[in-house]
Amino acid sequence: MADVEASVRDRINGDRDCTEQALAQLDLRRKINLLIGEWKAAGGGDVLPDVHDQVRLRLVKTVGIPGRAAMRR
């Protein structure tokens, strides 16, 4: 999904037609929403991971000083 979003952004920034990529992005979002709906209907109630949480955790893990990484959490 991130690849499709990047493609849309690149086309918009280049002032080019992004209709196909945007429709593909919308289709992926619909599929994700359907999967989440099915998951919830099956009893899923946990909080789903957020992209921002993943990025934050990745940044904390890649910092060179272990002591500082522990303080950021």
Side-chain angles (χ1 to χ4, degrees), residues 19-57:
T19 304
E20 290 180 29
Q21 290 81 3
L23 290 173
Q25 183 178 6
L26 288 172
D27 187 46
L28 286 172
R29 288 183 180 197
R30 270 189 225 105
K31 288 178 183 178
I32 289 172
N33 283 336
L34 285 172
L35 289 171
I36 291 172
E38 290 175 5
W39 174 74
K40 286 183 178 181
D46 296 338
V47 176
L48 294 174
D50 189 348
V51 174
H52 298 292
D53 294 338
Q54 295 296 322
V55 171
R56 183 182 57 79
L57 290 174

Side-chain angles (χ1 to χ4, degrees), residues 1-13 16 18 20-30 32 51-52:
M1 177 131 168
D3 294 339
V4 175
E5 291 175 355
S7 175
V8 171
R9 261 186 259 112
D10 288 343
R11 289 197 161 269
I12 289 173
N13 290 338
R16 294 177 292 181
C18 65
E20 290 180 29
Q21 290 81 3
L23 290 173
Q25 183 178 6
L26 288 172
D27 187 46
L28 286 172
R29 288 183 180 197
R30 270 189 225 105
I32 289 172
V51 174
H52 298 292

